[in-house]
Amino acid sequence: MESLGSHRLQGRIALVTGGLRGIGLACVERFLAEGAEVVLTDLEAPDGDLATATLARLGQAASYVRANVTSEEDWATLLARVEQQHGALHILVNNAGIDLTGPVATTSLEGWRRIMSINVDGVFLGTRAFVPLMEKSGAGVAGGASIINVSSIMGLVGMSEVSGYNASKGAVRLFTKSIALEFAEKRMPIRANSLHPGFVVTPLLSAGFQRWVDKGIAEKPQDLVDMVAAKTPMGRLADPSELASAAFFLASSDSSYMTGAELVIDGGWTAQ
């Protein structure tokens, strides 16, 4: 992969959902380091402490728009904002997501629909909103525009008591393959690939581990971290920056012949 700070994304515009924390924030930081201008979205108010502090640190090449990825109206607003400010979009990272754990017998329909709405509908709505602009933008860059949909290793293999999350991330995987074929067959200059993280040190994972602790499955979150690390061939969890490097590769022209592919970054978890 290309080295940090190579500015291989100079002149490109990127949009990252769920961009204030975790993998999304790491992608924002990496894209900025490589010369892109980045619009990031999340649910926090623009004048909230987290959004304000993050933008102050990221600098003028980054901008923030509050958006709910399940809202068609919010996606229309995002499109209008990007068109007005930048006139193009070369990279779309559909990253926003939530988890859902527990036995299927006690999973509520409300919870099931919520995870599908955010993890699946959000990816569909973002893709649909920006395809026309990305088609125009992609014609001007080597390898075309790039859609990166963040799935998970849970979109590849099953795990007990995460059926809702498994189903949502599996849907992202196959949705990505379908649109990749659609764009390629129509000779549209847009590539689409899915990113499949293993266990990554993020606020989402920490919150999930805390829920397991609250259920009495472990005494403290670190016990679960240690357990997952022990089951991972590389013996550790990933840092978000390692996923951002993979996203950068998919965003760059170095992956110009990749579409409909799965890029798995999991420390060997699914090789077992």
Side-chain angles (χ1 to χ4, degrees):
M1 295 185 187
E2 300 163 70
S3 60
L4 182 63
S6 62
H7 293 280
R8 293 290 297 278
L9 299 182
Q10 195 74 43
R12 300 193 196 185
I13 311 302
L15 172 63
V16 180
T17 67
L20 283 179
R21 53 179 62 81
I23 294 171
L25 178 58
C27 289
V28 170
E29 293 170 335
R30 183 62 189 268
F31 293 169
L32 289 170
E34 302 298 342
E37 294 182 62
V38 184
V39 179
L40 57 147
T41 79
D42 219 306
L43 290 174
E44 274 75 12
D47 59 353
D49 291 343
L50 180 58
T52 301
T54 301
L55 281 182
R57 179 174 60 81
L58 294 176
Q60 294 185 347
S63 59
Y64 176 75
V65 182
R66 185 197 179 279
N68 182 335
V69 296
T70 70
S71 166
E72 290 184 87
E73 293 76 13
D74 283 8
W75 278 111
T77 299
L78 269 172
L79 176 60
R81 174 81 170 265
V82 171
E83 286 183 317
Q84 178 183 13
Q85 290 193 345
H86 302 286
L89 188 72
H90 306 97
I91 303 159
L92 172 62
V93 181
N94 286 308
N95 166 73
I98 61 170
D99 66 358
L100 176 67
T101 61
V104 66
T106 58
T107 297
S108 69
L109 181 58
E110 179 184 11
W112 176 271
R113 286 177 172 168
R114 181 170 183 263
I115 194 170
M116 294 301 167
S117 179
I118 295 170
N119 291 9
V120 184
D121 294 355
V123 173
F124 158 69
L125 290 172
T127 300
R128 188 183 67 176
F130 276 95
V131 160
L133 181 60
M134 295 188 78
E135 182 178 9
K136 295 177 184 177
S137 307
V141 298
S146 176
I147 296 175
I148 303 164
N149 293 328
V150 180
S151 179
S152 166
I153 58 170
M154 300 305 163
L156 300 171
V157 297
M159 179 173 281
S160 176
E161 297 196 8
V162 290
S163 57
Y165 190 73
N166 274 143
S168 71
K169 291 303 186 178
V172 170
R173 170 180 174 264
L174 281 181
F175 174 77
T176 305
K177 291 183 182 299
S178 181
I179 61 172
L181 292 174
E182 178 182 333
F183 301 153
E185 290 172 359
K186 293 179 179 179
R187 298 298 184 263
M188 295 169 64
I190 307 173
R191 297 178 295 108
N193 296 286
S194 54
L195 188 61
H196 295 260
F199 291 91
V200 188
V201 180
T202 65
L204 181 66
L205 184 73
S206 297
F209 280 174
Q210 184 58 56
R211 284 194 293 273
W212 285 107
V213 170
D214 294 342
K215 292 178 181 179
I217 295 173
E219 290 187 4
K220 55 184 183 297
Q222 187 60 45
D223 292 340
L224 295 170
V225 171
D226 294 342
M227 180 188 72
V228 169
K231 291 185 176 181
T232 302
M234 290 185 70
R236 63 177 178 85
L237 279 63
D239 184 84
S241 64
E242 294 176 292
L243 276 299
S245 291
F248 166 57
F249 170 66
L250 293 177
S252 77
S253 299
D254 279 3
S255 59
S256 58
Y257 199 56
M258 284 183 67
T259 197
E262 306 159 5
L263 191 53
V264 181
I265 313 293
D266 69 349
W269 184 278
T270 55
Q272 302 177 97

